[in-house]
Structure formats: structure tokens, C-alpha cells
Amino acid sequence: MQELIKETAKNLFFVQGRFDATTQEIADEAGVNRTLINYYFRSRDNLIQIVFEDAQRVEKEKSEIIMRSDLPFKEKITQFIEGSLSTSLQYPYLETYIISQINKGSCQKKDIQSEDLQNLYKDIEVEMGLGNIEKIEPVQFLFNMISLLVFPSAARPLIKDNMMISDEEFDRLISERKDIILNMLFKN
């Protein structure tokens, strides 16, 4: 029952984008009595924190590909992009949810270690030296990659409305982004 409630909350938040869903709406969607949410999670805020931590875990697993893998640099980036786009298709509002929770100050978590980040910067500098990517500050390379990955999903409702794109069309466009992003980040 606890897992059903948690998965229902994830679906409401990450798939449907209903971040303000009440405990009653979560209970109705799960087909359970609202008191069960308080029984298992003590409060809506605790449920949100648990769901947020699950979302952060997904993000951390993706980051591990870049930070700890022994794969060649471009392959690490490719796998990170594939994982990010796959997650974006599975949970269309995950990035928006994470950003909104961090902006509200209700959830904050740093998952990247300084040493890992410095190693990644060195990898980027090596790739620049080899001529595989443009010579820019390593943090700018990461800004570019993250922006190309996150912005379309984070701005999904705005983009869909202003560009008159259906959910199906948006998902198709997201699924095609891997090669577009790689071609923008890498020279070859």
C-alpha cells in the first residue's frame, strides 16, 4: 500500500505535472483512504520529501555515469544524454518538479563531490586539447549540455502551448535530441 501511494504521487507529480496535488487527490488516484497517507508518511510534506529523494536518486544515478565510469569521454556523455532523455520521456515533469522544489527551498541536496567535478573538468580539458570539443571553460561545456537536456523538459508546458505541440509530438522531438545534442557538443 505504501509503495502504491508513493508511485501514485510520483505519477501525479512527474508524469502529470500536478505538483500541488492534495493528499485527498493522491488518495483518490491511488484508490485508498486519505488517512493511509498520514499513516505511512505522517504528512503530505514527508511524502513529498520521500518522492523528491527518489527523484534525486534518479538524477544521481545519471550523474554517476559521467563521474565514475571508465568509458571514453564521448561514450560517457552519450550514455548520460541517453539516460537523461529516457528519464525525460518516462517522467516528463521530473526536471520541473526538482527545480520547483529547490526554488521553494523545501528540498536541497548536493550529490556531486568536488573531487569528481574537478576530474570531470580535467576530462573536458583533455577533450578540448584533442580538438574534440570547442575550447571553452569546462563549466560552460556542462552548462551547454545540461541546458540542451533540461530546458525543453523544464519548459514543457510553455513550449507545448506556444509552439502548439501535442504531447506525442513533444515526446517524439525529445526522443530525437540525442544526436542533435551530441552534434552541438562535439566537433566529430
Side-chain angles (χ1 to χ4, degrees):
M1 196 61 61
Q2 184 175 0
E3 195 60 31
L4 170 67
I5 294 168
K6 194 165 79 168
E7 288 304 313
T8 300
K10 279 188 205 178
N11 181 60
L12 286 170
F13 299 153
F14 306 155
V15 178
Q16 296 180 33
R18 294 175 49 201
F19 307 144
D20 59 351
T22 65
T23 52
Q24 187 62 57
E25 290 170 324
I26 295 167
D28 290 347
E29 190 84 12
V32 301
N33 188 309
R34 187 179 72 192
T35 58
L36 285 177
I37 293 174
N38 288 330
Y39 174 76
Y40 287 116
F41 300 100
R42 294 189 306 276
S43 70
R44 180 183 182 277
D45 289 342
N46 281 344
L47 174 58
I48 288 172
Q49 184 63 38
I50 289 167
V51 168
F52 181 79
E53 287 170 2
D54 281 357
Q56 285 290 91
R57 203 171 2 268
V58 168
E59 294 299 306
K60 183 176 180 169
E61 288 168 6
K62 288 188 311 193
S63 296
E64 292 287 321
I65 293 169
I66 290 180
M67 298 297 176
R68 304 258 165 83
S69 171
D70 290 331
L71 292 170
F73 183 76
K74 188 172 183 179
E75 183 60 30
K76 286 195 285 193
I77 298 298
T78 300
Q79 284 191 15
F80 178 79
I81 290 170
E82 287 172 349
S84 295
L85 294 174
S86 175
T87 300
S88 180
L89 289 170
Q90 182 180 6
Y91 298 114
Y93 293 94
L94 176 63
E95 301 292 349
T96 308
Y97 178 80
I98 291 171
I99 291 167
S100 70
Q101 293 303 305
I102 290 171
N103 284 341
K104 283 167 61 174
S106 56
C107 303
Q108 186 79 27
K109 200 169 189 182
K110 184 178 120 184
D111 286 327
I112 298 173
Q113 302 299 319
S114 178
E115 182 181 321
D116 290 336
L117 189 58
Q118 293 309 313
N119 288 335
L120 179 58
Y121 287 162
K122 287 176 190 169
D123 289 347
I124 293 169
E125 288 170 350
V126 167
E127 292 298 313
M128 284 188 274
L130 294 171
N132 295 329
I133 56 179
E134 289 294 326
K135 290 187 179 191
I136 55 176
E137 284 184 68
V139 71
Q140 293 288 1
F141 176 86
L142 294 179
F143 278 179
N144 288 343
M145 180 179 67
I146 292 165
S147 298
L148 291 166
L149 282 168
V150 173
F151 181 77
S153 294
R156 182 183 181 107
L158 180 67
I159 291 171
K160 283 179 41 200
D161 287 348
N162 287 323
M163 299 178 84
M164 293 172 251
I165 298 173
S166 68
D167 280 329
E168 295 77 19
E169 180 70 2
F170 192 88
D171 287 350
R172 181 189 66 76
L173 293 166
I174 292 296
S175 68
E176 294 176 354
R177 287 195 57 76
K178 180 182 99 174
D179 290 334
I180 293 167
I181 294 169
L182 287 171
N183 288 334
M184 293 178 108
L185 294 175
F186 291 90
K187 291 182 177 181
N188 48 30

